[in-house]
Amino acid sequence: MDEHEPTRPKAISKKPRYSRFTQQELPAWKPILTPGWVIASFVTVAIMFIPTGLLCLSASERVVEIVDRYDDDCLPDSFRTNPDSFIQNNKSNKTCIRTLKVPRKMTAPIFIYYELDNFYQNHRRYVKSRSDKQLRDPGAAEETKDCMPEDIVGGDNDAPIVPCGLVAWSLFNDTYTFSKANKVVDIDKKDIAWKSDTRVKFGSNVYPKNFQKGELIGGGELDESKPLSEQEDLIVWMRTAALPNFRKLYGKINMDLEANETITVVIQNNYNTYDFGGEKKLILSTASWIGGKNDFFGIAFLTIGGICLFMAINFIFLYVFKPRPLGDPTYLSWNRNPNAQ
């Protein structure tokens, strides 16, 4: 070999290093799907899912729910063509009286929700317009870089807004007052927010400053004498919803409501959903072990259980009337060479 001849580079093998894991040679359970196994599996799933679905539907049926959409009915006829001016006019009377009839006995606690439709709290820019550090740390009031345009109040000396951002700025501000037989029904607004939010995400020594003091008012106001951890309406609102139609907890009624009773609700129709074609609803609801009224889980369990039961019956008929001979399992690779496993 000529000493001046260039040496060829050594070929690099792409063959992976051998291991029982990469070659799938580890001991494993390799079931043979005989008709008996398949039928038994479908029947087992059906036996588990169908009763569970019936229990979920039964629990959902026991929930008593009153839903009242009020945004259209609470808009005066003179403002039908220009609803924005009704909301923005501070002199317009926004009081609206609604009457609700209890269809069945409602056992305490009775949860009060407000529902907004066509409100996209999951919009990327909206969700990011907040400062979590500012919400829990009194020394981080200046952390408003993600809150534009609701970050500071202009003037001779720019001052930060606490809490800043579009999420807090658009706080829901409709109010509800309930009465029964001319007696006011108390609304319990304690513990309506998540404990993790009141204890961790919102500081007990962080107080609102310069909130809703700008030229354009977005929604509700806050009590500057209370820390953010105690302003649970704000905390509930700032847990943004994933879907455009959502409910948020407003409070609780800690007394039973009998069937056919009439509840009078005085609503302050302050929140502007007319601008984006949204809807507002007031909801009274009891709860069960699965939560509020929700037929989805029951229908889902029944659907899956019914399909499995249908498939099991089909396989039974096929197995009885048109049986097929099974192959000899001794010819399977792991049975022919058991030592390799």
Side-chain angles (χ1 to χ4, degrees):
M1 180 178 179
D2 189 353
E3 62 180 358
H4 298 290
E5 183 179 350
T7 58
R8 295 180 180 178
K10 186 178 180 180
I12 300 176
S13 175
K14 296 183 179 179
K15 181 178 179 180
R17 181 178 296 179
Y18 170 81
S19 71
R20 297 183 66 189
F21 175 76
T22 59
Q23 297 303 317
Q24 300 184 16
E25 294 179 355
L26 293 174
W29 180 48
K30 302 172 181 177
I32 302 173
L33 295 180
T34 61
W37 270 105
V38 173
I39 293 171
S41 299
F42 279 120
V43 170
T44 301
V45 174
I47 291 174
M48 293 173 59
F49 277 53
I50 291 177
T52 303
L54 292 174
L55 285 174
C56 291
L57 283 179
S58 176
S60 178
E61 183 63 25
R62 288 196 298 269
V63 174
V64 185
E65 187 175 271
I66 304 173
V67 180
D68 179 51
R69 179 184 173 184
Y70 63 89
D71 54 297
D72 279 347
D73 293 339
C74 289
L75 183 65
D77 293 336
S78 57
F79 289 95
R80 292 285 176 181
T81 57
N82 190 10
D84 287 349
S85 62
F86 169 71
I87 296 295
Q88 296 169 4
N89 187 352
N90 295 328
K91 297 181 180 180
S92 61
N93 183 13
K94 298 180 175 59
T95 302
C96 178
I97 300 176
R98 307 287 290 171
T99 301
L100 308 178
K101 188 173 183 180
V102 181
R104 289 183 291 160
K105 181 178 179 179
M106 303 181 74
T107 305
I110 301 169
F111 298 93
I112 307 169
Y113 299 92
Y114 57 88
E115 179 177 316
L116 297 181
D117 292 355
N118 200 36
F119 190 113
Y120 287 82
Q121 269 198 320
N122 59 352
H123 191 282
R124 175 178 172 272
R125 187 176 179 187
Y126 181 88
V127 172
K128 290 182 63 178
S129 184
R130 60 189 291 165
S131 174
D132 290 324
K133 188 175 181 181
Q134 183 200 63
L135 295 174
R136 62 176 179 265
D137 184 4
E142 304 289 339
E143 296 286 339
T144 61
K145 62 180 180 179
D146 294 327
C147 296
M148 292 182 64
E150 292 299 319
D151 52 345
I152 58 174
V153 174
D156 296 335
N157 296 314
D158 291 341
I161 299 173
V162 181
C164 67
L166 292 175
V167 183
W169 175 79
S170 60
L171 173 64
F172 185 78
N173 62 339
D174 281 7
T175 61
Y176 312 112
T177 304
F178 294 83
S179 61
K180 181 180 69 171
N182 296 324
K183 293 183 179 180
V184 176
V185 177
D186 293 331
I187 300 176
D188 182 9
K189 298 182 75 70
K190 293 182 179 180
D191 299 327
I192 62 174
W194 290 20
K195 293 295 183 183
S196 59
D197 289 349
T198 57
R199 295 175 181 176
V200 179
K201 292 187 177 181
F202 291 78
S204 59
N205 52 357
V206 180
Y207 294 83
K209 291 187 299 184
N210 305 312
F211 188 71
Q212 302 291 18
K213 300 292 178 63
E215 296 181 357
L216 186 62
I217 305 300
E221 297 181 355
L222 298 176
D223 188 349
E224 295 190 357
S225 65
K226 288 184 178 181
L228 295 183
S229 61
E230 296 181 10
Q231 309 214 32
E232 298 195 38
D233 284 328
L234 172 70
I235 297 174
V236 170
W237 177 257
M238 294 198 68
R239 181 167 283 277
T240 53
L243 300 174
N245 302 339
F246 58 87
R247 297 179 180 181
K248 290 184 181 290
L249 187 59
Y250 181 82
K252 295 177 287 186
I253 298 176
N254 294 319
M255 61 179 293
D256 295 346
L257 298 178
E258 300 298 331
N260 300 319
E261 279 189 328
T262 300
I263 306 298
T264 302
V265 189
V266 179
I267 301 174
Q268 293 298 321
N269 185 24
N270 300 315
Y271 203 71
N272 189 5
T273 57
Y274 308 101
D275 189 39
F276 55 88
E279 299 177 2
K280 293 189 288 188
K281 297 174 184 176
L282 170 64
I283 298 167
L284 299 181
S285 177
T286 58
S288 66
W289 59 271
I290 62 170
K293 192 173 186 64
N294 189 348
D295 294 337
F296 172 78
F297 290 108
I299 294 173
F301 277 114
L302 285 176
T303 301
I304 296 173
I307 292 173
C308 290
L309 182 61
F310 175 76
M311 296 298 295
I313 294 173
N314 278 343
F315 279 126
I316 289 173
F317 279 114
L318 288 174
Y319 183 64
V320 171
F321 295 106
K322 289 186 178 182
R324 295 177 59 186
L326 292 175
D328 188 354
T330 59
Y331 285 93
L332 295 172
S333 60
W334 56 85
N335 288 331
R336 294 179 63 184
N337 188 15
N339 293 329
Q341 305 302 317

